[in-house]
């Protein structure tokens, strides 16, 4: 059953009674839920409900202290989103409003990836969000994979539509419809485009930034004259995502290939980047699909080759979403709140001026403004918090909650000594505070940039250490079960059947996250069957 949206009023929303696993790519949705803190919501996503009756909404709207991560990871996550002002719940269950600070992080992701996409020959464009249902039906595995999550428009302008419309869950079908009109000859290839858009998936279990009914993403689509070109493209894009994760977000993802059961509906091969969150669950942070000729055959997307022969194009699609914001929170955050890697932080440095007497205020604010101007001129993203409605201590806590990498404190004594105090977000307390840093522009700018680089590297090193210490090498099914039951990731040789893979999922709750690109050498024996194996796979419970 699918969701039915009646326009113009979005009421009478139906939804599937159960959810299903769908392959690789499109689990990278962002997601949100209104549910009791101890478990998932049992009420249907998409139904409006009084906010006062939702404990989770109360949590997102409160000013209470952050729940310790070790005590309740989910409650901690919601507290951070609320206190750091990243998002709030929308009036329809399962939707979220991304607040300015949360959206600024998404913009930083966009800024980096947009440049990389254009450097590799892709152009941005836009496709409609309404797709004829007949398009979805053309590719058999695609409609099977997405039917449980589709939202349909059946009424428009007060009249029943002749053909129901799908609210975009992904764009492979409508892209192929247009590609068929644009591609005629090998001279039209490769055709490489990307769009930044919203997507709708009728999720039953939602979580802010991780899984919501509607989320933001980019989706790239390409068409090629040969299978080799398509495969090269699919791998190139997963490499771009991998570098972005490591270099910008300090998240040490593991790139690899999805199993057949976890492959995107309609793809020949799905490549993925898998990230370990702070609770040791896996997050599929991005995917790239080699679609082969599955969609081009379904839609008749052909070209005339150099010999004048008609051939179907080979295609790829690839995407990351606002789910990455949730990944940043869950990878780096601590009991104080959000902790942002400097390269992705909307604000890299916050300046907090401190004064007690009115005659101190002018000098302190003047010095603070000069420091801000020097850093801003040097390309540092800086915020001067010169409001006088809050105490310096309150400001310290507030900006720490928002994960600002560096804080500069300037008081009357600092003005007299022409120096500042610098505190690192990643090193709590006195250990992360340095006094007497010269206020002279060139000295301070150099120091700040050095510390931002150190923080970026430190966060990545810490995340790598956490990841590696929680991956267990296993050689039998019993060892795999032990690893998963203890909350670890299991890595072991695998050549078993799809049925065996399904058994692992049913008995342990874990899935094959990927066959890593980086494989160990030597003879391998499948942990399940005892037969020879060519690859190791990574198993984990996931979001």
């Amino acid at each position: 059953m699918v969701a039915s949206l009646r326009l113009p009023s979005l009421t009478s929303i139906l939804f599937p009674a159960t959810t299903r696993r769908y392959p690789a790519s499109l689990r990278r949705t962002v997601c949100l839920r209104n549910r009791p803190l101890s478990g998932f919501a049992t009420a249907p996503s998409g139904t409006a409900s009084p906010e006062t009756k939702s404990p989770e909404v109360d949590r997102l709207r409160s000013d209470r202290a952050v729940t310790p991560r070790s005590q309740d990871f989910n409650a901690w996550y919601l507290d951070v989103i609320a206190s750091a002002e990243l998002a709030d719940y929308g009036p329809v269950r399962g939707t979220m409003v991304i607040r300015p600070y949360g959206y600024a992080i998404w913009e930083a992701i966009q800024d980096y990836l947009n440049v990389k996409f254009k450097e590799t020959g892709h152009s941005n464009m836009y496709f409609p969000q309404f797709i004829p249902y007949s398009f979805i039906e053309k590719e058999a595995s695609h409609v099977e994979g997405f039917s449980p999550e589709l939202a349909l428009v059946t009424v428009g302008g007060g009249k029943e539509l002749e053909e129901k419309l799908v609210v975009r869950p992904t764009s492979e079908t409508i892209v192929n419809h247009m590609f068929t009109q644009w591609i005629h000859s090998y001279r039209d290839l490769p055709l490489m485009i990307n769009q930044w858009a919203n997507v709708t998936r009728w999720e039953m279990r939602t979580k802010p930034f991780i899984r919501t009914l509607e989320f933001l993403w980019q989706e790239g689509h390409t068409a090629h004259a040969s299978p080799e070109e398509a495969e090269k493209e699919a791998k190139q894009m997963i490499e771009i995502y991998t570098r972005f994760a490591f270099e910008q977000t300090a998240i040490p993802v593991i790139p690899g290939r999805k199993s057949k059961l976890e492959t995107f509906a309609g793809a020949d091969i799905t490549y993925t980047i898998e990230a370990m969150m702070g609770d040791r669950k896996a997050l599929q942070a991005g995917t790239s699909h080699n679609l082969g000729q599955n969609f081009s055959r379904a839609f008749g997307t052909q070209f005339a080759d150099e010999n004048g022969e008609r051939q179907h194009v080979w295609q790829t699609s690839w995407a990351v979403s606002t789910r990455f914001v949730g990944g940043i929170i869950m990878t780096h955050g601590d009991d104080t709140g959000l902790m942002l890697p400097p390269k992705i932080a909307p604000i890299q440095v916050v300046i907090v001026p401190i004064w007690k007497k009115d005659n101190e205020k002018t000098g302190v604010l003047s010095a603070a403004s000069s420091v801000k101007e020097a850093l801003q001129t040097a390309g540092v993203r800086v915020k001067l918090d010169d409001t006088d409605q809050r105490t310096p201590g309150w400001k310290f806590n507030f900006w720490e909650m928002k994960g600002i990498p560096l804080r500069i404190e300037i008081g009357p004594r600092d003005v007299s000594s022409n120096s500042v105090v610098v505190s690192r977000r990643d090193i709590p307390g006195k250990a992360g505070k340095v006094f007497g840093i010269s206020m002279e522009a060139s000295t301070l700018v150099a120091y700040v940039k050095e510390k931002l680089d150190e923080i970026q590297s430190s966060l990545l090193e810490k995340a790598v250490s956490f990841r590696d210490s929680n991956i267990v090498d296993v050689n039998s099914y019993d060892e795999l079960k032990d690893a998963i039951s203890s909350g670890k990731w299991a890595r072991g040789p695998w050549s078993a059947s799809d049925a065996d893979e399904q058994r692992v999922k049913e008995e342990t709750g874990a899935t094959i996250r990927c066959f890593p690109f980086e494989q160990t050498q030597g003879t391998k024996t499948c942990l399940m069957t005892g037969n020879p194996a060519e690859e190791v796979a990574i198993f984990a419970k996931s979001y």
Side-chain angles (χ1 to χ4, degrees), residues 109 241-255 273-277 283 285 323-332 341 344 456 459-461 463-464 467:
I109 294 171
Y241 292 158
T242 302
R243 291 188 62 182
F244 163 72
F246 272 86
E247 296 176 4
Q248 300 295 307
T249 68
I251 299 178
V253 296
I254 296 179
I273 51 173
E274 299 291 326
M276 182 183 290
M277 300 294 95
L283 182 76
R323 164 173 276 219
F324 232 117
V325 178
I328 293 168
I329 298 169
M330 291 193 287
T331 299
H332 301 301
I344 210 75
Q456 185 80 26
L459 290 177
L460 178 59
E461 290 171 7
V464 169
R467 180 200 67 185

mmCIF file of all heavy atoms in Angstrom, residues 109 241-255 273-277 283 285 323-332 341 344 456 459-461 463-464 467:
data_model
loop_
_atom_site.group_PDB
_atom_site.id
_atom_site.type_symbol
_atom_site.label_atom_id
_atom_site.label_comp_id
_atom_site.label_asym_id
_atom_site.label_seq_id
_atom_site.Cartn_x
_atom_site.Cartn_y
_atom_site.Cartn_z
ATOM 1 N N ILE A 109 28.340 21.404 3.231
ATOM 2 C CA ILE A 109 28.439 20.157 2.464
ATOM 3 C C ILE A 109 28.205 20.447 0.987
ATOM 4 O O ILE A 109 28.961 19.977 0.111
ATOM 5 C CB ILE A 109 27.420 19.127 2.985
ATOM 6 C CG1 ILE A 109 27.777 18.705 4.412
ATOM 7 C CG2 ILE A 109 27.341 17.912 2.058
ATOM 8 C CD1 ILE A 109 26.719 17.853 5.091
ATOM 9 N N TYR A 241 33.090 11.065 -2.501
ATOM 10 C CA TYR A 241 32.402 11.016 -1.209
ATOM 11 C C TYR A 241 33.347 10.598 -0.080
ATOM 12 O O TYR A 241 33.276 11.121 1.030
ATOM 13 C CB TYR A 241 31.233 10.032 -1.267
ATOM 14 C CG TYR A 241 30.083 10.441 -2.145
ATOM 15 C CD1 TYR A 241 29.203 9.485 -2.641
ATOM 16 C CD2 TYR A 241 29.854 11.777 -2.475
ATOM 17 C CE1 TYR A 241 28.114 9.846 -3.446
ATOM 18 C CE2 TYR A 241 28.786 12.134 -3.271
ATOM 19 C CZ TYR A 241 27.914 11.169 -3.758
ATOM 20 O OH TYR A 241 26.852 11.520 -4.541
ATOM 21 N N THR A 242 34.207 9.635 -0.377
ATOM 22 C CA THR A 242 35.149 9.150 0.638
ATOM 23 C C THR A 242 36.096 10.264 1.066
ATOM 24 O O THR A 242 36.318 10.485 2.270
ATOM 25 C CB THR A 242 35.953 7.955 0.096
ATOM 26 O OG1 THR A 242 35.050 6.906 -0.287
ATOM 27 C CG2 THR A 242 36.915 7.427 1.142
ATOM 28 N N ARG A 243 36.640 10.970 0.101
ATOM 29 C CA ARG A 243 37.559 12.071 0.420
ATOM 30 C C ARG A 243 36.841 13.176 1.189
ATOM 31 O O ARG A 243 37.392 13.762 2.125
ATOM 32 C CB ARG A 243 38.166 12.632 -0.871
ATOM 33 C CG ARG A 243 39.131 11.675 -1.561
ATOM 34 C CD ARG A 243 39.853 12.335 -2.705
ATOM 35 N NE ARG A 243 40.671 13.453 -2.242
ATOM 36 C CZ ARG A 243 41.390 14.233 -3.052
ATOM 37 N NH1 ARG A 243 41.379 14.000 -4.355
ATOM 38 N NH2 ARG A 243 42.111 15.212 -2.574
ATOM 39 N N PHE A 244 35.607 13.460 0.793
ATOM 40 C CA PHE A 244 34.835 14.461 1.514
ATOM 41 C C PHE A 244 34.655 14.061 2.972
ATOM 42 O O PHE A 244 34.840 14.866 3.887
ATOM 43 C CB PHE A 244 33.466 14.643 0.852
ATOM 44 C CG PHE A 244 32.466 15.341 1.722
ATOM 45 C CD1 PHE A 244 32.583 16.698 1.982
ATOM 46 C CD2 PHE A 244 31.401 14.648 2.285
ATOM 47 C CE1 PHE A 244 31.670 17.348 2.800
ATOM 48 C CE2 PHE A 244 30.486 15.285 3.095
ATOM 49 C CZ PHE A 244 30.611 16.640 3.351
ATOM 50 N N ALA A 245 34.294 12.793 3.203
ATOM 51 C CA ALA A 245 34.063 12.329 4.571
ATOM 52 C C ALA A 245 35.322 12.459 5.416
ATOM 53 O O ALA A 245 35.274 12.969 6.547
ATOM 54 C CB ALA A 245 33.575 10.879 4.551
ATOM 55 N N PHE A 246 36.434 12.000 4.891
ATOM 56 C CA PHE A 246 37.691 12.058 5.642
ATOM 57 C C PHE A 246 38.182 13.490 5.810
ATOM 58 O O PHE A 246 38.498 13.921 6.929
ATOM 59 C CB PHE A 246 38.771 11.241 4.928
ATOM 60 C CG PHE A 246 38.805 9.788 5.297
ATOM 61 C CD1 PHE A 246 38.007 8.868 4.646
ATOM 62 C CD2 PHE A 246 39.644 9.329 6.300
ATOM 63 C CE1 PHE A 246 38.035 7.516 4.983
ATOM 64 C CE2 PHE A 246 39.693 7.994 6.656
ATOM 65 C CZ PHE A 246 38.878 7.084 5.985
ATOM 66 N N GLU A 247 38.279 14.237 4.722
ATOM 67 C CA GLU A 247 38.974 15.521 4.733
ATOM 68 C C GLU A 247 38.136 16.669 5.276
ATOM 69 O O GLU A 247 38.679 17.603 5.876
ATOM 70 C CB GLU A 247 39.452 15.854 3.325
ATOM 71 C CG GLU A 247 40.483 14.865 2.791
ATOM 72 C CD GLU A 247 40.887 15.163 1.354
ATOM 73 O OE1 GLU A 247 40.418 16.200 0.808
ATOM 74 O OE2 GLU A 247 41.660 14.380 0.779
ATOM 75 N N GLN A 248 36.818 16.620 5.084
ATOM 76 C CA GLN A 248 35.975 17.728 5.508
ATOM 77 C C GLN A 248 35.243 17.446 6.818
ATOM 78 O O GLN A 248 35.193 18.311 7.690
ATOM 79 C CB GLN A 248 34.951 18.062 4.407
ATOM 80 C CG GLN A 248 35.573 18.469 3.088
ATOM 81 C CD GLN A 248 36.341 19.773 3.179
ATOM 82 O OE1 GLN A 248 35.803 20.771 3.645
ATOM 83 N NE2 GLN A 248 37.589 19.771 2.747
ATOM 84 N N THR A 249 34.689 16.255 6.952
ATOM 85 C CA THR A 249 33.880 15.955 8.135
ATOM 86 C C THR A 249 34.619 15.137 9.187
ATOM 87 O O THR A 249 34.074 14.874 10.249
ATOM 88 C CB THR A 249 32.600 15.203 7.744
ATOM 89 O OG1 THR A 249 32.935 13.889 7.274
ATOM 90 C CG2 THR A 249 31.847 15.944 6.644
ATOM 91 N N ALA A 250 35.852 14.726 8.886
ATOM 92 C CA ALA A 250 36.659 13.919 9.815
ATOM 93 C C ALA A 250 35.945 12.628 10.209
ATOM 94 O O ALA A 250 36.092 12.140 11.332
ATOM 95 C CB ALA A 250 37.036 14.733 11.058
ATOM 96 N N ILE A 251 35.169 12.062 9.296
ATOM 97 C CA ILE A 251 34.497 10.786 9.516
ATOM 98 C C ILE A 251 35.217 9.720 8.700
ATOM 99 O O ILE A 251 35.208 9.765 7.470
ATOM 100 C CB ILE A 251 33.016 10.846 9.116
ATOM 101 C CG1 ILE A 251 32.282 11.896 9.958
ATOM 102 C CG2 ILE A 251 32.359 9.480 9.283
ATOM 103 C CD1 ILE A 251 30.809 12.062 9.584
ATOM 104 N N PRO A 252 35.853 8.744 9.349
ATOM 105 C CA PRO A 252 36.647 7.735 8.638
ATOM 106 C C PRO A 252 35.769 6.616 8.076
ATOM 107 O O PRO A 252 35.714 5.512 8.619
ATOM 108 C CB PRO A 252 37.595 7.231 9.719
ATOM 109 C CG PRO A 252 36.808 7.355 10.983
ATOM 110 C CD PRO A 252 35.956 8.602 10.817
ATOM 111 N N VAL A 253 35.078 6.906 7.012
ATOM 112 C CA VAL A 253 34.172 5.928 6.413
ATOM 113 C C VAL A 253 34.957 4.767 5.807
ATOM 114 O O VAL A 253 36.145 4.881 5.498
ATOM 115 C CB VAL A 253 33.300 6.583 5.328
ATOM 116 C CG1 VAL A 253 32.398 7.637 5.934
ATOM 117 C CG2 VAL A 253 34.164 7.177 4.213
ATOM 118 N N ILE A 254 34.273 3.652 5.643
ATOM 119 C CA ILE A 254 34.843 2.499 4.956
ATOM 120 C C ILE A 254 34.134 2.365 3.616
ATOM 121 O O ILE A 254 32.931 2.077 3.571
ATOM 122 C CB ILE A 254 34.668 1.211 5.782
ATOM 123 C CG1 ILE A 254 35.452 1.331 7.093
ATOM 124 C CG2 ILE A 254 35.129 -0.007 4.981
ATOM 125 C CD1 ILE A 254 35.318 0.126 7.999
ATOM 126 N N PRO A 255 34.838 2.597 2.509
ATOM 127 C CA PRO A 255 34.210 2.459 1.192
ATOM 128 C C PRO A 255 34.237 1.004 0.740
ATOM 129 O O PRO A 255 35.179 0.261 1.050
ATOM 130 C CB PRO A 255 35.092 3.331 0.296
ATOM 131 C CG PRO A 255 36.448 3.290 0.941
ATOM 132 C CD PRO A 255 36.204 3.141 2.425
ATOM 133 N N ILE A 273 29.738 4.198 1.257
ATOM 134 C CA ILE A 273 30.669 4.576 2.331
ATOM 135 C C ILE A 273 29.923 4.353 3.641
ATOM 136 O O ILE A 273 28.836 4.883 3.844
ATOM 137 C CB ILE A 273 31.182 6.023 2.210
ATOM 138 C CG1 ILE A 273 30.034 7.028 2.034
ATOM 139 C CG2 ILE A 273 32.179 6.150 1.076
ATOM 140 C CD1 ILE A 273 30.479 8.486 2.078
ATOM 141 N N GLU A 274 30.510 3.544 4.515
ATOM 142 C CA GLU A 274 29.884 3.173 5.780
ATOM 143 C C GLU A 274 30.637 3.818 6.937
ATOM 144 O O GLU A 274 31.861 3.714 7.037
ATOM 145 C CB GLU A 274 29.879 1.653 5.952
ATOM 146 C CG GLU A 274 29.094 0.923 4.873
ATOM 147 C CD GLU A 274 27.594 1.154 4.967
ATOM 148 O OE1 GLU A 274 27.085 1.284 6.100
ATOM 149 O OE2 GLU A 274 26.933 1.200 3.904
ATOM 150 N N ALA A 275 29.891 4.488 7.817
ATOM 151 C CA ALA A 275 30.491 5.213 8.939
ATOM 152 C C ALA A 275 30.037 4.619 10.263
ATOM 153 O O ALA A 275 28.879 4.227 10.412
ATOM 154 C CB ALA A 275 30.104 6.685 8.874
ATOM 155 N N MET A 276 30.955 4.557 11.218
ATOM 156 C CA MET A 276 30.621 4.082 12.561
ATOM 157 C C MET A 276 30.244 5.260 13.443
ATOM 158 O O MET A 276 31.037 6.179 13.644
ATOM 159 C CB MET A 276 31.792 3.324 13.189
ATOM 160 C CG MET A 276 31.469 2.757 14.573
ATOM 161 S SD MET A 276 32.871 1.926 15.365
ATOM 162 C CE MET A 276 33.027 0.449 14.352
ATOM 163 N N MET A 277 29.026 5.211 13.966
ATOM 164 C CA MET A 277 28.555 6.269 14.845
ATOM 165 C C MET A 277 29.030 6.035 16.279
ATOM 166 O O MET A 277 29.599 5.000 16.600
ATOM 167 C CB MET A 277 27.027 6.338 14.801
ATOM 168 C CG MET A 277 26.456 6.627 13.416
ATOM 169 S SD MET A 277 26.873 8.287 12.783
ATOM 170 C CE MET A 277 28.338 7.970 11.781
ATOM 171 N N LEU A 283 26.225 3.801 9.756
ATOM 172 C CA LEU A 283 25.430 4.753 8.997
ATOM 173 C C LEU A 283 25.891 4.712 7.551
ATOM 174 O O LEU A 283 27.068 4.942 7.255
ATOM 175 C CB LEU A 283 25.601 6.167 9.547
ATOM 176 C CG LEU A 283 24.753 7.236 8.845
ATOM 177 C CD1 LEU A 283 23.300 7.140 9.300
ATOM 178 C CD2 LEU A 283 25.298 8.632 9.117
ATOM 179 N N ALA A 285 26.456 6.466 4.597
ATOM 180 C CA ALA A 285 26.586 7.910 4.458
ATOM 181 C C ALA A 285 26.505 8.390 3.021
ATOM 182 O O ALA A 285 26.370 9.595 2.775
ATOM 183 C CB ALA A 285 27.907 8.372 5.086
ATOM 184 N N ARG A 323 21.374 13.428 5.735
ATOM 185 C CA ARG A 323 21.748 12.381 6.694
ATOM 186 C C ARG A 323 23.184 12.592 7.184
ATOM 187 O O ARG A 323 23.524 12.233 8.316
ATOM 188 C CB ARG A 323 21.614 11.020 6.012
ATOM 189 C CG ARG A 323 22.317 9.886 6.711
ATOM 190 C CD ARG A 323 21.992 8.548 6.059
ATOM 191 N NE ARG A 323 20.756 8.042 6.594
ATOM 192 C CZ ARG A 323 20.537 6.747 6.860
ATOM 193 N NH1 ARG A 323 21.440 5.849 6.593
ATOM 194 N NH2 ARG A 323 19.398 6.350 7.363
ATOM 195 N N PHE A 324 24.023 13.197 6.342
ATOM 196 C CA PHE A 324 25.410 13.442 6.728
ATOM 197 C C PHE A 324 25.497 14.343 7.960
ATOM 198 O O PHE A 324 26.423 14.228 8.768
ATOM 199 C CB PHE A 324 26.186 14.074 5.566
ATOM 200 C CG PHE A 324 27.461 13.361 5.230
ATOM 201 C CD1 PHE A 324 27.631 12.766 4.003
ATOM 202 C CD2 PHE A 324 28.495 13.275 6.143
ATOM 203 C CE1 PHE A 324 28.799 12.097 3.677
ATOM 204 C CE2 PHE A 324 29.670 12.613 5.836
ATOM 205 C CZ PHE A 324 29.823 12.021 4.602
ATOM 206 N N VAL A 325 24.531 15.262 8.096
ATOM 207 C CA VAL A 325 24.528 16.132 9.275
ATOM 208 C C VAL A 325 24.370 15.294 10.532
ATOM 209 O O VAL A 325 25.064 15.498 11.542
ATOM 210 C CB VAL A 325 23.411 17.188 9.171
ATOM 211 C CG1 VAL A 325 23.378 18.056 10.434
ATOM 212 C CG2 VAL A 325 23.603 18.055 7.928
ATOM 213 N N GLY A 326 23.440 14.321 10.490
ATOM 214 C CA GLY A 326 23.288 13.414 11.630
ATOM 215 C C GLY A 326 24.545 12.620 11.892
ATOM 216 O O GLY A 326 24.905 12.366 13.054
ATOM 217 N N GLY A 327 25.235 12.229 10.821
ATOM 218 C CA GLY A 327 26.480 11.490 10.984
ATOM 219 C C GLY A 327 27.552 12.296 11.689
ATOM 220 O O GLY A 327 28.304 11.768 12.515
ATOM 221 N N ILE A 328 27.628 13.583 11.373
ATOM 222 C CA ILE A 328 28.604 14.459 12.032
ATOM 223 C C ILE A 328 28.293 14.574 13.524
ATOM 224 O O ILE A 328 29.184 14.502 14.371
ATOM 225 C CB ILE A 328 28.607 15.845 11.359
ATOM 226 C CG1 ILE A 328 29.148 15.738 9.925
ATOM 227 C CG2 ILE A 328 29.444 16.840 12.171
ATOM 228 C CD1 ILE A 328 28.915 16.989 9.090
ATOM 229 N N ILE A 329 27.010 14.735 13.836
ATOM 230 C CA ILE A 329 26.611 14.835 15.242
ATOM 231 C C ILE A 329 27.014 13.576 16.000
ATOM 232 O O ILE A 329 27.633 13.637 17.066
ATOM 233 C CB ILE A 329 25.081 15.029 15.358
ATOM 234 C CG1 ILE A 329 24.640 16.323 14.677
ATOM 235 C CG2 ILE A 329 24.651 15.032 16.835
ATOM 236 C CD1 ILE A 329 23.128 16.439 14.518
ATOM 237 N N MET A 330 26.655 12.409 15.464
ATOM 238 C CA MET A 330 26.837 11.150 16.185
ATOM 239 C C MET A 330 28.272 10.648 16.172
ATOM 240 O O MET A 330 28.636 9.807 16.989
ATOM 241 C CB MET A 330 25.908 10.082 15.609
ATOM 242 C CG MET A 330 24.446 10.342 15.909
ATOM 243 S SD MET A 330 23.378 8.921 15.563
ATOM 244 C CE MET A 330 23.356 8.929 13.784
ATOM 245 N N THR A 331 29.098 11.168 15.282
ATOM 246 C CA THR A 331 30.508 10.769 15.260
ATOM 247 C C THR A 331 31.323 11.567 16.271
ATOM 248 O O THR A 331 32.156 11.010 16.993
ATOM 249 C CB THR A 331 31.110 10.957 13.853
ATOM 250 O OG1 THR A 331 30.414 10.132 12.924
ATOM 251 C CG2 THR A 331 32.593 10.576 13.841
ATOM 252 N N HIS A 332 31.098 12.872 16.329
ATOM 253 C CA HIS A 332 32.002 13.740 17.088
ATOM 254 C C HIS A 332 31.426 14.317 18.375
ATOM 255 O O HIS A 332 32.198 14.767 19.235
ATOM 256 C CB HIS A 332 32.466 14.896 16.195
ATOM 257 C CG HIS A 332 33.175 14.469 14.948
ATOM 258 N ND1 HIS A 332 34.327 13.710 14.977
ATOM 259 C CD2 HIS A 332 32.876 14.670 13.641
ATOM 260 C CE1 HIS A 332 34.721 13.479 13.730
ATOM 261 N NE2 HIS A 332 33.866 14.046 12.906
ATOM 262 N N PRO A 341 33.933 19.567 13.132
ATOM 263 C CA PRO A 341 35.249 19.711 12.503
ATOM 264 C C PRO A 341 35.344 21.100 11.878
ATOM 265 O O PRO A 341 34.384 21.564 11.241
ATOM 266 C CB PRO A 341 35.242 18.612 11.429
ATOM 267 C CG PRO A 341 34.221 17.622 11.891
ATOM 268 C CD PRO A 341 33.162 18.442 12.572
ATOM 269 N N ILE A 344 34.037 22.025 8.285
ATOM 270 C CA ILE A 344 32.603 21.969 7.993
ATOM 271 C C ILE A 344 31.811 22.910 8.892
ATOM 272 O O ILE A 344 30.600 23.108 8.693
ATOM 273 C CB ILE A 344 32.087 20.516 8.145
ATOM 274 C CG1 ILE A 344 30.903 20.251 7.213
ATOM 275 C CG2 ILE A 344 31.718 20.195 9.577
ATOM 276 C CD1 ILE A 344 31.300 20.089 5.776
ATOM 277 N N GLN A 456 41.005 19.649 13.461
ATOM 278 C CA GLN A 456 40.527 18.818 12.357
ATOM 279 C C GLN A 456 41.220 17.460 12.371
ATOM 280 O O GLN A 456 40.573 16.403 12.283
ATOM 281 C CB GLN A 456 40.775 19.533 11.021
ATOM 282 C CG GLN A 456 40.205 18.826 9.815
ATOM 283 C CD GLN A 456 38.721 19.043 9.623
ATOM 284 O OE1 GLN A 456 38.172 20.059 10.053
ATOM 285 N NE2 GLN A 456 38.056 18.112 8.957
ATOM 286 N N LEU A 459 40.249 15.284 15.573
ATOM 287 C CA LEU A 459 38.931 14.648 15.491
ATOM 288 C C LEU A 459 38.962 13.425 14.585
ATOM 289 O O LEU A 459 38.336 12.398 14.886
ATOM 290 C CB LEU A 459 37.887 15.651 14.999
ATOM 291 C CG LEU A 459 37.521 16.781 15.967
ATOM 292 C CD1 LEU A 459 36.522 17.737 15.317
ATOM 293 C CD2 LEU A 459 36.951 16.233 17.264
ATOM 294 N N LEU A 460 39.684 13.519 13.480
ATOM 295 C CA LEU A 460 39.783 12.367 12.585
ATOM 296 C C LEU A 460 40.542 11.224 13.255
ATOM 297 O O LEU A 460 40.114 10.062 13.196
ATOM 298 C CB LEU A 460 40.478 12.766 11.283
ATOM 299 C CG LEU A 460 40.681 11.628 10.263
ATOM 300 C CD1 LEU A 460 39.359 11.006 9.866
ATOM 301 C CD2 LEU A 460 41.429 12.141 9.039
ATOM 302 N N GLU A 461 41.649 11.541 13.909
ATOM 303 C CA GLU A 461 42.436 10.500 14.585
ATOM 304 C C GLU A 461 41.615 9.801 15.670
ATOM 305 O O GLU A 461 41.658 8.574 15.809
ATOM 306 C CB GLU A 461 43.694 11.119 15.197
ATOM 307 C CG GLU A 461 44.731 11.561 14.173
ATOM 308 C CD GLU A 461 45.858 12.354 14.808
ATOM 309 O OE1 GLU A 461 45.892 12.443 16.053
ATOM 310 O OE2 GLU A 461 46.691 12.897 14.056
ATOM 311 N N ALA A 463 38.347 9.527 15.771
ATOM 312 C CA ALA A 463 37.298 8.726 15.133
ATOM 313 C C ALA A 463 37.877 7.449 14.523
ATOM 314 O O ALA A 463 37.242 6.389 14.580
ATOM 315 C CB ALA A 463 36.588 9.558 14.066
ATOM 316 N N VAL A 464 39.062 7.533 13.939
ATOM 317 C CA VAL A 464 39.712 6.345 13.375
ATOM 318 C C VAL A 464 40.018 5.340 14.478
ATOM 319 O O VAL A 464 39.779 4.134 14.337
ATOM 320 C CB VAL A 464 41.006 6.724 12.624
ATOM 321 C CG1 VAL A 464 41.821 5.471 12.282
ATOM 322 C CG2 VAL A 464 40.679 7.485 11.345
ATOM 323 N N ARG A 467 36.788 3.716 15.604
ATOM 324 C CA ARG A 467 36.331 2.756 14.593
ATOM 325 C C ARG A 467 37.134 1.470 14.644
ATOM 326 O O ARG A 467 36.582 0.366 14.726
ATOM 327 C CB ARG A 467 36.437 3.390 13.201
ATOM 328 C CG ARG A 467 35.986 2.505 12.052
ATOM 329 C CD ARG A 467 36.564 2.978 10.729
ATOM 330 N NE ARG A 467 38.013 2.814 10.684
ATOM 331 C CZ ARG A 467 38.782 3.227 9.686
ATOM 332 N NH1 ARG A 467 38.255 3.868 8.653
ATOM 333 N NH2 ARG A 467 40.089 3.024 9.721
#
